[in-house]
Amino acid sequence: PGSGPRKAGDRDRADNKKAKPAGKGGGDNRRSGKLTLNQALSGEGGRQRSMAQMKRKQERARQKAMGGPVQREKVTRDVQLPEMITVGELANRMAERVADVVKSLMNNGIMATQNQSIDADTAELIIEDFGHRVVRVSDADVEQVIEQVKDKPEDLQDRAPIITVMGHVDHGKTSLLDAIRKTKVVSGEAGGITQHIGAYQVDAANGTRLTFLDTPGHAAFTSMRARGAHVTDIVVLVVAADDAVMPQTIEALNHAKAAKVPMIVAINKIDKHEANPDKVRTDLLQHEVIVEKMSGDVQDVEVSAISGKGLDQLLEAIALQSEILELKANPNRPAQGAVIEAQLDVGRGPVATVLVQNGTLRRGDIFVVGEQWGKVRALVDDKGERVEEAGPSVPVEVLGLNGTPEAGDVLNVVETEAQAREIAEYRASAAKEKRAAAGAATTLEQLMAKAKDDQNVSELPVVVKSDVQGSAEAIVQVMEKIGNDEVRVRVLHSGVGAITESDIGLAEASGAPVFGFNVRANAPARQAANQKGVEIRYYSVIYDLVDDVKAAASGLLSNEIREKFIGYANIKEVFKVSNVGKVAGCLVTEGVARRSAGVRLLRDNVVIHEGTLKTLKRFKDEVSEVQSGQECGMAFENHEDIRPGDVIEIFERESVERSL
């Protein structure tokens, strides 16, 4: 009984359909293809076919009617053929249908779908089958995009000289630069050692602009110093008058000679009572460096970074030397430069300090640098200001990379993002193959020797994290040199940025300690380390890190000065208080805050300042300690740069007996 009415309704609907008039919205579309007079006059109907196309169509139809074969005129193409190519890409390059290419492969006994790769020899057969010409290219040809054209002499303009300051550790390179720049960098450096490379621009008295590179003096930075000498025009060799020629002075000399660049000797610390500049000059004679005072051709200037004596003469000597060199570059071309330093900044991503050597780097440029590529999001100059472009000899921080490049990589601007990506991918795969080849023991003898070595040698595995790429690289190089026939250090992983949970996981699996150089572990990593018993050690001076590893590796363990973290506090708000300066309103999140303990200020897990507290207050009272979960006010000795969101780390040092 329920189905009756439904059927009746269905019938009604069917009748309605029949009754619909043919016309707009009706089922009859017979007139839609016809051209009416109105349509023709109003110009509707989109693109019309050309006369030539109509003639070709008529000709084909006539040939078909007469039973002849329909011939399309054949276009022969030059097909670029790399070592491996997918079938679909091959069809695309020949402008043939994929189905035809697959069919041709089947005729040659190869079953392949359009997404499968075939080798160059097979592809060559197919290309010749279709009547095209083969142009063989290798994978390395992707880099031909960045092969430079020679600049015309009339396009060249004067550029600022690039001066690298080299010399032994603690001979006053950075102090000398500071005196020239009239700023203070040394005070912010741990143990007075330059941990990173800086690049600065300075105007000399005669109006000449000079670009200075400050290279770290520690032996660990040899590789970076060697690269520093590649981008440089003039080397200023700093030798302390009270210390004369030292091992790293000789090293710097050798780098300067290898780079074939002119050298100026700056004899520093001339104001000291025990200064003896003539000893420096005679010491340099042993290394075939004859200064002007000894009737040679190397300029030498006596300077004092403290009193400022001789600085003008040094700048004059540099300006004179650069005039002789006649340094020129063409600013009106795509930029080329060298990476001096690279780091992973939490807020800004990978940041590279680039020294532009030729051309002009502009915002929005697409570039490739080593195994990375990117698009310039922003350029920051040495004063920390944003700029739109950087010409030859200008050092800038570049934002917008997809990864952290190595110090010393070359930056080239390319036209398209696809080119940049292709070059970077090729370089990355080539580097991967090279590493794999180096790691593989090839012959049976090598395998046996390696197995024998591994039985006799005990290894000390370590994980290293640093704040910048150059430091990480330098630490790894030093680590690999530590050891002898019985013990050696193996760096499992080195990277840039805060210590993360994955680093702790890797360390636990291998029973390795984690070394943080100017970086800290984030909260999850700290908890994981406590649970798994992984030791995290923090350092701010490379010497200490290397000495500790040496001691651990050799088993000669003296008393260890261990830092015991007793608390953490988060800065919620910053207040200005008269007579005190900036005071941080803090909440103690872990442990206790003690007035007597040492403190560090962390921003994004990177150490900004280390020192002591000036005040520790609870409400209006000065207190000796504040427990976890309570709020307090803290002010630092000699440090005002505090911001909400920073973390304060409170620690005590204790002396502990060590055993392996």
Side-chain angles (χ1 to χ4, degrees):
S3 61
R6 199 183 302 132
K7 276 183 182 168
D10 285 354
R11 203 166 41 245
D12 292 347
R13 274 199 293 280
D15 292 347
N16 284 348
K17 260 187 190 169
K18 280 179 195 167
K20 261 193 184 174
K24 237 182 190 175
D28 190 7
N29 280 335
R30 279 176 307 172
R31 291 192 61 81
S32 63
K34 291 191 178 172
L35 185 68
T36 65
L37 198 60
N38 285 342
Q39 274 178 332
L41 290 174
S42 65
E44 283 181 22
R47 252 179 89 202
Q48 303 297 325
R49 287 190 165 172
S50 68
M51 286 298 290
Q53 197 176 357
M54 295 297 284
K55 276 181 182 165
R56 283 198 299 272
K57 193 177 174 186
Q58 283 170 349
E59 183 62 28
R60 280 202 297 274
R62 195 165 63 84
Q63 277 190 342
K64 208 170 183 181
M66 288 166 68
V70 181
Q71 277 291 322
R72 285 178 59 195
E73 56 261 52
K74 184 78 181 167
V75 180
T76 47
R77 290 184 167 79
D78 289 332
V79 180
Q80 289 202 337
L81 183 59
E83 277 127 44
M84 293 294 284
I85 189 167
T86 62
V87 175
E89 178 60 20
L90 179 64
N92 194 11
R93 288 184 185 191
M94 294 193 297
E96 303 286 353
R97 286 168 56 225
V98 178
D100 293 344
V101 177
V102 171
K103 190 173 167 188
S104 174
L105 279 165
M106 283 179 176
N107 292 341
N108 286 307
I110 296 162
M111 301 294 168
T113 65
Q114 66 172 351
N115 297 326
Q116 280 174 307
S117 293
I118 53 172
D119 63 281
D121 295 336
T122 312
E124 190 168 344
L125 287 172
I126 302 302
I127 293 168
E128 282 166 357
D129 274 1
F130 280 94
H132 298 296
R133 289 184 294 273
V134 178
V135 181
R136 282 283 184 119
V137 293
S138 72
D139 286 349
D141 290 349
V142 297
E143 294 200 356
Q144 283 181 349
V145 181
I146 55 179
E147 281 184 2
Q148 302 297 340
V149 286
K150 282 272 188 223
D151 290 313
K152 294 179 187 152
E154 61 267 20
D155 293 339
L156 297 175
Q157 296 176 19
D158 290 335
R159 67 172 174 83
I162 300 161
I163 302 110
T164 302
V165 183
M166 289 185 172
H168 192 73
V169 65
D170 208 22
H171 275 201
K173 297 180 295 299
T174 310
S175 309
L176 192 62
L177 262 178
D178 291 341
I180 294 171
R181 292 170 60 220
K182 299 183 181 63
T183 61
K184 281 276 173 283
V185 172
V186 165
S187 53
E189 288 182 356
I193 301 165
T194 305
Q195 306 287 352
H196 311 146
I197 295 187
Y200 320 104
Q201 282 208 315
V202 176
D203 288 321
N206 63 356
T208 317
R209 177 156 280 197
L210 313 170
T211 301
F212 281 96
L213 296 189
D214 177 17
T215 61
H218 185 267
F221 290 89
T222 304
S223 62
M224 293 156 71
R225 267 221 305 272
R227 288 167 180 164
H230 281 308
V231 294
T232 193
D233 303 312
I234 301 168
V235 168
V236 172
L237 184 68
V238 178
V239 192
D242 61 338
D243 209 8
V245 174
M246 297 299 276
Q248 283 147 28
T249 314
I250 299 162
E251 209 178 289
L253 265 173
N254 294 338
H255 283 316
K257 282 180 186 168
K260 295 185 175 66
V261 289
M263 186 162 49
I264 296 168
V265 179
I267 303 171
N268 196 13
K269 304 190 182 182
I270 204 73
D271 53 343
K272 278 200 167 181
H273 176 63
E274 58 272 26
N276 183 357
D278 287 331
K279 183 177 184 299
V280 173
R281 295 188 177 100
T282 48
D283 279 8
L284 285 170
L285 285 174
Q286 297 170 18
H287 305 286
E288 299 164 21
V289 176
I290 308 162
V291 298
E292 284 179 347
K293 202 167 182 184
M294 301 270 186
S295 67
D297 54 358
V298 176
Q299 295 188 75
D300 66 316
V301 187
E302 293 183 10
V303 294
S304 163
I306 307 294
S307 65
K309 182 189 170 193
L311 290 181
D312 292 341
Q313 287 94 305
L314 179 63
L315 291 177
E316 261 173 49
I318 293 168
L320 178 70
Q321 187 68 62
S322 67
E323 271 176 38
I324 295 166
L325 290 173
E326 291 185 346
L327 302 165
K328 292 186 182 297
N330 176 11
N332 305 315
R333 57 171 293 166
Q336 182 189 349
V339 175
I340 298 164
E341 189 49 278
Q343 67 192 72
L344 192 63
D345 192 304
V346 176
R348 305 183 294 172
V351 180
T353 307
V354 173
L355 184 66
V356 180
Q357 290 168 296
N358 207 353
T360 304
L361 187 64
R362 295 181 173 84
R363 232 183 75 196
D365 278 350
I366 293 159
F367 62 88
V368 61
V369 50
E371 296 170 33
Q372 315 296 341
W373 65 278
K375 185 175 182 179
V376 181
R377 277 213 320 266
L379 296 171
V380 182
D381 67 7
D382 54 338
K383 297 176 195 70
E385 291 165 8
R386 292 216 167 186
V387 289
E388 285 297 311
E389 57 180 43
S393 300
V394 178
V396 281
E397 279 192 335
V398 177
L399 278 71
L401 291 118
N402 73 329
T404 316
E406 300 275 325
D409 281 345
V410 177
L411 177 140
N412 293 99
V413 170
V414 292
E415 284 179 15
T416 65
E417 210 169 286
Q419 277 177 351
R421 196 183 279 114
E422 194 178 4
I423 294 168
E425 280 171 4
Y426 162 68
R427 285 178 180 175
S429 66
K432 197 173 170 187
E433 280 167 22
K434 198 173 172 186
R435 282 195 293 270
T442 46
T443 64
L444 188 62
E445 284 83 4
Q446 280 174 317
L447 279 168
M448 297 295 279
K450 194 168 184 290
K452 196 174 168 190
D453 278 358
D454 289 350
Q455 282 171 5
N456 300 339
V457 178
S458 52
E459 284 189 331
L460 173 71
V462 294
V463 176
V464 177
K465 288 302 280 282
S466 166
D467 54 343
V468 295
Q469 180 72 40
S471 299
E473 193 180 355
I475 291 165
V476 171
Q477 284 192 343
V478 178
M479 295 280 190
E480 284 167 356
K481 287 178 190 160
I482 296 172
N484 51 21
D485 299 342
E486 291 153 34
V487 63
R488 65 170 171 232
V489 178
R490 189 159 69 96
V491 180
L492 297 173
H493 170 68
S494 69
V496 178
I499 298 166
T500 60
E501 240 175 317
S502 61
D503 297 325
I504 303 295
L506 175 64
E508 188 214 6
S510 314
V514 181
F515 293 134
F517 183 73
N518 272 340
V519 293
R520 289 290 175 271
N522 55 26
R526 282 204 304 273
Q527 286 164 2
N530 288 339
Q531 285 166 5
K532 295 170 180 175
V534 173
E535 185 182 13
I536 302 177
R537 291 200 182 176
Y538 300 128
Y539 297 91
S540 55
V541 176
I542 266 192
Y543 295 144
D544 300 347
L545 193 157
V546 174
D547 293 347
D548 266 13
V549 173
K550 272 185 183 161
S554 57
L556 303 170
L557 301 176
S558 56
N559 274 9
E560 177 195 352
I561 305 296
R562 185 173 285 176
E563 283 181 6
K564 183 180 163 201
F565 295 114
I566 54 171
Y568 284 89
N570 281 0
I571 299 182
K572 297 289 184 192
E573 199 59 65
V574 178
F575 308 97
K576 276 195 178 154
V577 178
S578 54
N579 305 334
V580 182
K582 280 190 177 174
V583 174
C586 310
L587 171 67
V588 181
T589 52
E590 280 179 49
V592 291
R594 280 204 190 108
R595 173 92 173 74
S596 56
V599 285
R600 284 196 191 95
L601 184 65
L602 312 181
R603 188 168 296 154
D604 296 328
N605 285 322
V606 174
V607 182
I608 296 201
H609 172 71
E610 183 175 326
T612 53
L613 288 178
K614 193 169 12 172
T615 59
L616 178 65
K617 290 197 170 181
R618 186 121 168 75
F619 301 109
K620 289 191 176 178
D621 309 326
E622 189 78 32
V623 288
S624 60
E625 66 173 53
V626 178
Q627 295 295 326
S628 172
Q630 296 184 335
E631 293 186 336
C632 60
M634 295 187 195
F636 293 92
E637 289 281 5
N638 309 326
H639 190 75
E640 295 275 293
D641 177 22
I642 46 179
R643 300 181 197 168
D646 289 353
V647 176
I648 296 168
E649 183 177 81
I650 303 112
F651 62 92
E652 283 178 342
R653 289 195 170 98
E654 56 186 4
S655 182
V656 185
E657 284 283 335
R658 280 202 271 186
S659 63
L660 257 181

